[in-house]
Amino acid sequence: MVKSIGYAALNSKDPLSTFNFERRCLRENDIFIEILYCGVCHSDIFQVKNGWKKSIYPLVPGHEIIGLVKEVGPKVKKIRKGEAVGVGVLVDSCMNCRNCKEDLEQYCESGPVSTYNGKDYETGEITYGGYSNNIIVREEFVLKIPKNLNLAAAAPLLCAGITTYSPLNHWNVGSESRVGIIGLGGLGHMAIKFAKAKGASVTLFTTSENKIESAKQLGADEVILSKNNSEMEGKQKALDFILNTVGAPIDLTPYLNCLSRDGVMVVVGLPDKQHPAISLDNLVFHRRSLAGSLIGGIKETQEMLNFCGKHKIVSNIELINIENINEAFERTEKGDVQYRFVIDMKSLPNK
Ligand code: NAP
Ligand code: ZN
């Protein structure tokens, strides 16, 4: 077994603390990665606090991982020792069902294996994530990072990036699209960057007055304070596509009202409580759609990374030492981060 050290939640209440553990030995198609950076996704907080009622402790969070390849198994074909690589939300899937065959491993019918709090197909062991010094992942789930990207700022692309890039792609957002984005957090700020790179006009909906200026600097053409009813009403039927990144239950109706005929709202935010119900008349009378989307498949994640290389897109980050992770969780919950915390793994204590 491989010795590892990280930060773990031992239960749903206590702060994260240092945790020594073991990972599986390298299989023949595995990559051994020394982790340099790991982004802090709001999903990590839900998982640590058992918000989705599926957490298994001890739980080592982290699914926005960037590292260097230290070793490769004998059957590895495409990844080389010394390369900078990334690992996102998934580390395995059945590779055999219809969804996996269509490069949509996130919807694997046997259940994909999550980077943490997942179950290894072979051993049944619980997976541990990227708030740690190393990780072992099968080759097919390891991504290549374009050389021109700053490695720390590229970490959030592995979850916040692909989760926002994929629906924009799937619903064909382009230069004619009038896009709305709800929430300016880790996901929301990446959504602005991608929608602008695709040439769309972008309206950001925020609850935070203090984010208006920086949203414009990120590229938003217009910013609407969602608590201001007259601003919301001014946007009625004005948008073709809305991406909802909010991680809290909210009334969707005022936002649906901003969709034109045939407009689509895609939900990626995953609160730990249900949204209030909506009236389906709102959809029926305007042929609107309400849809959802989960991260993205591995092929699309690599495409997104290459797109970021070409357009020089990375995340806006605050780099932190791992001993400050509990404070970073509190600040993320308050929306007080511009716009993603990334942990510098050099700050991990030695074993
Ligand atoms: P985040 O950085 O905390 O950003 C969420 C933003 O939502 C906040 O910055 C805030 O923006 C807004 N918000 C928060 N509470 C709100 C409230 N009560 N009412 C209205 N707006 C509120 O979180 P994140 O990392 O981007 O993740 C967002 C959500 O996506 C989480 O639920 C996460 O679990 C989920 N997620 C889903 C996927 C997927 O595959 N579908 C992948 C990753 C994450 P303003 O201050 O601008 O209002
Ligand atoms: Zn995430």
Side-chain angles (χ1 to χ4, degrees):
M1 301 296 272
V2 174
K3 283 197 183 314
S4 304
I5 184 166
Y7 261 54
L10 302 180
N11 56 57
S12 64
K13 299 270 180 308
D14 291 332
L16 301 189
S17 52
T18 48
F19 177 60
N20 289 288
F21 59 102
E22 289 184 334
R23 297 195 185 268
R24 70 177 186 234
C25 292
L26 211 65
R27 296 176 188 150
E28 50 190 17
N29 60 341
D30 271 349
I31 312 286
F32 181 93
I33 301 165
E34 178 191 286
I35 301 178
L36 300 176
Y37 303 104
C38 186
V40 178
C41 179
H42 208 122
S43 304
D44 298 345
I45 303 175
F46 284 125
Q47 294 264 32
V48 160
K49 298 193 171 178
N50 200 17
W52 297 331
K53 309 281 180 252
K54 289 180 195 158
S55 302
I56 301 164
Y57 301 95
L59 186 147
V60 178
H63 59 206
E64 295 184 338
I65 300 168
I66 294 277
L68 293 177
V69 176
K70 284 285 148 184
E71 221 178 308
V72 302
K75 291 212 171 143
V76 166
K77 294 191 191 86
K78 293 186 195 137
I79 306 274
R80 296 208 164 70
K81 208 168 152 175
E83 261 188 297
V85 291
V87 178
V89 179
L90 305 177
V91 287
D92 207 354
S93 72
C94 82
M95 310 287 235
N96 227 349
C97 70
R98 174 175 154 250
N99 293 336
C100 285
K101 283 186 173 153
E102 290 180 19
D103 297 308
L104 295 166
E105 299 88 357
Q106 73 274 36
Y107 305 114
C108 171
E109 285 168 8
S110 307
V113 182
S114 313
T115 303
Y116 64 87
N117 202 41
K119 210 176 248 184
D120 185 282
Y121 276 146
E122 281 185 34
T123 62
E125 282 165 344
I126 301 304
T127 54
Y128 292 127
Y131 292 11
S132 59
N133 61 339
N134 58 37
I135 192 162
I136 292 169
V137 181
R138 68 181 287 184
E139 177 180 25
E140 293 89 334
F141 287 77
V142 175
L143 286 310
K144 289 179 182 255
I145 307 300
K147 288 201 168 55
N148 63 331
L149 299 183
N150 174 287
L151 290 180
L157 300 177
L158 278 310
C159 175
I162 183 61
T163 301
T164 50
Y165 178 89
S166 179
L168 294 175
N169 249 0
H170 184 74
W171 276 273
N172 298 315
V173 165
S175 57
E176 302 294 306
S177 309
R178 298 166 301 170
V179 170
I181 292 154
I182 317 177
L184 187 55
L187 268 57
H189 95 288
M190 290 312 306
I192 296 181
K193 293 186 186 212
F194 288 134
K196 286 312 293 178
K198 287 172 175 291
S201 71
V202 173
T203 301
L204 176 83
F205 297 93
T206 181
T207 57
S208 310
E209 219 159 331
N210 62 353
K211 292 183 185 171
I212 293 175
E213 272 321 302
S214 70
K216 288 185 179 159
Q217 276 164 25
L218 285 164
D221 299 285
E222 195 180 357
V223 182
I224 302 278
L225 254 188
S226 51
K227 57 191 166 202
N228 186 334
N229 289 341
S230 64
E231 282 186 51
M232 290 298 283
E233 277 160 24
K235 232 29 214 174
Q236 285 205 5
K237 299 190 184 154
L239 301 171
D240 308 304
F241 178 90
I242 294 180
L243 191 67
N244 177 357
T245 75
V246 177
I250 55 167
D251 182 5
L252 298 179
T253 302
Y255 299 101
L256 289 170
N257 288 341
C258 296
L259 289 172
S260 59
R261 193 207 70 223
D262 289 330
V264 182
M265 178 192 284
V266 177
V267 178
V268 287
L270 283 170
D272 54 0
K273 294 186 187 68
Q274 295 300 313
H275 293 291
I278 57 154
S279 160
L280 295 185
D281 291 2
N282 189 306
L283 306 180
V284 172
F285 282 91
H286 306 275
R287 205 161 65 181
R288 290 169 175 148
S289 310
L290 179 58
S293 182
L294 185 67
I295 41 173
I298 297 299
K299 183 166 173 240
E300 194 179 29
T301 306
Q302 189 63 62
E303 278 167 25
M304 177 274 309
L305 288 165
N306 298 346
F307 181 91
C308 288
K310 190 170 160 205
H311 294 269
K312 301 190 175 61
I313 292 175
V314 285
S315 190
N316 292 29
I317 64 162
E318 291 190 41
L319 197 62
I320 57 163
N321 287 342
I322 199 155
E323 64 265 25
N324 298 325
I325 185 62
N326 295 300
E327 189 196 334
F329 272 20
E330 283 171 25
R331 283 186 50 200
T332 303
E333 286 180 313
K334 288 189 212 140
D336 174 24
V337 48
Q338 293 204 349
Y339 280 95
R340 196 57 135 192
F341 287 113
V342 171
I343 307 164
D344 185 348
M345 285 310 155
K346 283 201 296 289
S347 59
L348 263 175
N350 293 323
K351 266 168 261 182

